[in-house]
Each structure stands twice: as C-alpha cells, then as structure tokens.
C-alpha cells in the first residue's frame, strides 16, 4: 500500500466528487462505491469553504485485489488513517468522504476527500502538510503494510530500473503512453530530442528511453558502459554519486539528474540483476524488524505532536448543540448516525 495526496485542491466541490463517482457521459463510474460519508454534504462543505485550498484529496492505493480484503479490514485502514490525520479532533470537527475504486485491474483503491475547514469554528483545517506530516503518514503506511503483509514499496524487488520522476517531472497518465506501433518512430524522435532538446523534461525522458533500448540490446554491462553511452549521446558527465548521475547538454542551462538502478554505482548487466536484488533483499529483511520498531516510535511521537497542535488550535472550541448547527452540519450528524456501522473503532496496534 502507498498513501498519495493529490495536488488539486481548488475549485468547486463538484470536481473531486464527479471524478470519484461519475464516468464520461454522466453515468455512474464503474467500480466506484461510497464506503463512508455523504457526497452531497462534502461537495457543499467544499463550496462553503472560504480558503484558497478548499479540499484535500488522495488515495490509499493497493497492489492487491479488492476481493482479498474484508469490509472490516477496509474500515480498519480508513479509521486508522483518519486517526493519523485528525488525532486530537472529534468526529464532528471534520468531514471526510471515502470512495472505493476497483476499476484499475481489480486492485483496491480507497479514495478520500476532505474539506479544508474545521466544522465547529470555521477555521482553516490543513489535513496534510508534508513538512509536518509526511514522516507520521509514512510510518502509518509502513505499519499497515507490515501488519497485514501487504506489498511493501520499500522492497528491493520493486525498485525501478529507471526513475522518471526526478527533476520535478510530471507523472504520466495512461493516456500519455505511445502505442506499440510507434515505438520505432519514438526511437528516431528520441535521437532528435537528445540532439536538440526543447526542455529538461523531454531530454530526460529521451535519455531514459535510449538507455532502456541499450539495456535491451545488451550494450550496457556496468556503470562504465553507462557513462560511455551517455557521453556518446553528446552529454557531459557533471556528477556521479552512488545513486544517480547528473549530465549537462550544450543546449541546456540546467543539468539533468538521472536516477534508477541503471544509473547506480553498483549497476551490473541485467543478467546479474537478480544477484543484486538478493543482496538488497537480505539487507532489507535484516533491518525489517528494527525498521518496524522505528516506524512505531515515529508514528507515536508524531501523533503526540499533532494532537497537541490540533488541541492548541481548536481545543478551546466547544461543540455546539445539535439544534444550533447549520443545515450542513445537521445533515452530517444525521449521516454519521445512519452510517455509524461503517466506522471502525479499532486502535492502531503495535
């Protein structure tokens, strides 16, 4: 499992709600199911939020098939994630919508949308800020993966040969992938891009593709051959570290950082990759237990800090009486009562 927060957060509430529940043509999205919350209420709360960042959305994404999980396990993931984000807050102080997606090959995705407003006071609510929350959320992810035996993104077997997401490169969507019939044309285009690049992103993508072609052809044996291949493209090696290589192009002002197994100091031929992975796997398994203890300590300490922050910011605000709440909040309480069976009260286990 991985936890991903989307960059979008502005605009009307219809945007994220329609993405989660509505397909093209206005039909219900296949494989989408509301697990908790009220989509209409969440949309109205987002629209009523006066701040620039109106909502925070993201996903708990699993490689495992959705049928491998029980409803109770899904509730556990959702509740413990909420506890991690909103520790110190009561359920009536925030709103969250959970939508399950199974349309990507059947694997489970638990999508969430959170209006960025604390409901008692109307103050701004920031569910996730990387500088303050990333360590705690990553620790939550690692604890869940270890406890449930889920796919671990830190596992060496899942390491990429090429990492395309450095230099702030945008992550491609399935619609950006070229068809197989255009692969040979792409090779020629790559040569042209490397000779006369228009942007750092385009140059890096072309270099990565060219290196993959060379790897498939068997012309890359070790790091020396990688450096030679890069220089043969007309690039200048500016820096080579244990995990990456930075190159310069005569037509580009900025250096390009290349990262992935191919560019690492200990890279060997593809035939020897299994041996390299075995070594990394032994190291990974040796430290897994200590890493689990470290994750628990990180999560526990982070929860203490975040709880104090929330209580200092919102703790002096008393809960209003039900009859004094606005229509939206009344609807929220009604929805929570009706859907109370969907909430899981299990606490995070070490």
């Amino acid at each position: 499992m991985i936890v991903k927060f989307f960059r979008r957060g502005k605009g009307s509430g219809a945007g994220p709600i329609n993405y989660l529940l509505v397909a093209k043509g206005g039909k219900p999205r296949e494989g989408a199911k509301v697990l908790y919350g009220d989509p209409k209420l969440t949309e109205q709360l987002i629209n009523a939020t006066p701040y620039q960042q109106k909502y925070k959305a993201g996903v708990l994404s699993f490689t495992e098939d959705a049928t491998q999980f029980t409803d109770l396990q899904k509730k556990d993931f959702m509740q413990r994630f909420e506890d991690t984000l909103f520790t110190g807050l009561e359920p009536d102080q925030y709103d969250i919508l959970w939508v399950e997606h199974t349309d990507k090959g059947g694997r489970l995705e638990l999508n969430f949308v959170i209006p960025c407003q604390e409901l008692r006071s109307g103050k701004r609510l920031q569910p996730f800020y990387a500088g303050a929350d990333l360590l705690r959320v990553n620790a939550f992810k690692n604890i869940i993966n270890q406890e449930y035996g889920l796919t671990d993104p830190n596992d060496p077997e899942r390491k990429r040969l090429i990492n395309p997401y450095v230099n702030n490169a945008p992550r491609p969507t399935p619609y950006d992938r070229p068809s197989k019939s255009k692969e040979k044309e792409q090779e020629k285009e790559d040569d042209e891009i490397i000779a006369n690049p228009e942007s750092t992103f385009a140059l890096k993508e072309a270099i990565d593709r060219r290196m993959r072609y060379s790897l498939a052809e068997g012309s890359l044996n070790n790091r020396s051959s990688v450096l030679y291949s890069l220089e043969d493209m007309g690039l200048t090696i500016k820096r080579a570290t244990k995990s990456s290589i930075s190159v310069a192009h005569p037509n580009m002002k900025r250096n390009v950082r290349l990262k992935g197994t191919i560019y690492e100091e200990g890279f060997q031929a593809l035939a020897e990759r299994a041996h390299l992975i075995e070594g990394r796997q032994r190291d990974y398994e040796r430290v897994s237990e200590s890493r689990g203890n470290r994750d628990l300590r990180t999560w526990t300490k982070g929860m203490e800090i975040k709880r104090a922050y929330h209580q200092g910011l919102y703790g002096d605000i008393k809960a209003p009486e039900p009859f004094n709440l606005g229509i939206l909040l009344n609807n929220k309480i009604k929805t929570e009562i009706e859907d109370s069976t969907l909430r899981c009260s299990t606490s995070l286990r070490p």
Side-chain angles (χ1 to χ4, degrees):
M1 178 195 72
I2 63 171
V3 181
K4 181 177 181 181
F5 290 88
F6 303 135
R7 294 183 179 179
R8 297 181 181 86
K10 301 178 182 179
S12 71
I17 303 302
N18 289 341
Y19 167 76
L20 292 176
L21 297 173
V22 182
K24 292 183 179 180
K27 298 181 180 179
R29 178 167 178 167
E30 185 178 357
K33 177 183 178 183
V34 176
L35 296 182
Y36 176 78
D38 183 341
K40 291 183 179 180
L41 172 62
T42 299
E43 180 178 347
Q44 292 171 7
L45 286 171
I46 292 173
N47 292 337
T49 299
Y51 307 106
Q52 185 177 16
Q53 183 81 14
K54 289 184 171 293
Y55 64 89
K56 198 69 177 178
V59 61
L60 309 185
S61 182
F62 301 76
T63 61
E64 291 81 6
D65 193 274
T67 58
Q68 295 181 228
F69 301 100
T70 65
D71 290 341
L72 184 60
Q73 288 173 329
K74 295 174 188 177
K75 295 171 192 175
D76 190 32
F77 299 148
M78 294 186 294
Q79 185 60 62
R80 290 162 70 174
F81 181 69
E82 288 186 39
D83 292 343
T84 298
L85 289 189
F86 303 115
T87 178
L89 299 182
E90 297 296 329
D92 68 327
Q93 291 184 268
Y94 64 90
D95 177 77
I96 186 169
L97 173 68
W98 285 100
V99 178
E100 175 183 334
H101 280 177
T102 58
D103 56 348
K104 296 180 177 65
R107 64 183 182 83
L108 177 64
E109 285 189 343
L110 299 176
N111 298 270
F112 56 87
V113 181
I114 306 165
C116 291
Q117 187 172 9
E118 196 274 329
L119 299 183
R120 291 185 186 175
S121 66
K123 291 183 179 180
R124 181 173 180 267
L125 174 67
Q126 177 62 284
F128 177 81
Y129 174 66
D133 303 315
L134 183 60
L135 286 177
R136 188 177 76 263
V137 171
N138 276 341
F140 155 81
K141 172 199 69 178
N142 293 336
I143 290 170
I144 291 293
N145 286 336
Q146 185 175 40
E147 181 178 329
Y148 279 89
L150 304 178
T151 301
D152 186 353
N154 300 312
D155 194 320
E157 290 187 355
R158 299 187 60 80
K159 190 174 181 64
R160 299 174 183 269
L161 282 174
I162 296 291
N163 184 350
Y165 306 130
V166 292
N167 305 303
N168 296 319
R171 293 178 179 265
T173 69
Y175 306 104
D176 298 326
R177 298 170 186 167
S179 61
K180 292 183 179 180
S181 62
K182 294 184 178 181
E183 287 183 357
K184 291 186 178 180
E185 295 180 10
Q186 185 67 58
E187 292 184 33
K188 295 181 180 179
E189 291 178 8
D190 288 341
D191 291 338
E192 295 175 0
I193 293 174
I194 293 173
N196 298 289
E198 296 181 357
S199 69
T200 303
F201 296 149
L203 176 58
K204 184 192 178 302
E205 290 176 354
I207 294 172
D208 285 343
R209 282 192 294 266
R210 174 54 60 199
M211 297 302 286
R212 282 195 292 266
Y213 298 148
S214 299
L215 185 64
E217 293 170 356
S219 58
L220 297 183
N221 300 314
N222 48 38
R223 197 181 221 195
S224 296
S225 62
V226 170
L227 296 174
Y228 176 82
S229 182
L230 292 171
E231 292 175 339
D232 192 49
M233 296 180 198
L235 304 169
T236 302
I237 308 299
K238 301 299 290 186
R239 188 183 182 195
T241 68
K242 290 184 178 181
S243 60
S244 66
I245 298 174
S246 295
V247 297
H249 189 283
N251 294 344
M252 301 297 295
K253 294 182 179 180
R254 295 178 56 188
N255 294 340
V256 178
R257 187 178 177 220
L258 306 170
K259 194 170 183 181
T261 301
I262 289 179
Y263 305 113
E264 291 182 355
E265 186 177 55
F267 169 72
Q268 298 295 323
L270 186 60
E272 298 183 31
R273 184 168 183 252
H275 173 71
L276 294 175
I277 291 178
E278 286 178 4
R280 292 182 183 138
Q281 191 70 33
R282 286 192 297 271
D283 294 338
Y284 168 78
E285 292 173 354
R286 186 173 62 252
V287 301
S288 60
E289 183 175 354
S290 60
R291 187 165 60 90
N293 294 333
R294 184 175 68 249
D295 288 329
L296 182 58
R297 289 195 300 270
T298 299
W299 181 85
T300 302
K301 182 62 177 178
M303 293 289 280
E304 293 175 359
I305 295 172
K306 194 67 174 183
R307 186 181 299 110
Y309 170 79
H310 279 155
Q311 292 177 345
L313 191 59
Y314 310 115
D316 58 340
I317 301 168
K318 295 182 180 180
E321 297 297 329
F323 58 83
N324 287 331
L325 293 174
I327 296 176
L328 296 181
L329 196 51
N330 275 327
N331 288 339
K332 172 181 168 55
I333 292 177
K334 180 180 178 181
T335 300
E336 288 183 345
I337 294 174
E338 293 174 347
D339 295 342
S340 61
T341 57
L342 294 179
R343 304 289 286 184
C344 176
S345 60
T346 56
S347 60
L348 187 64
R349 299 184 294 275

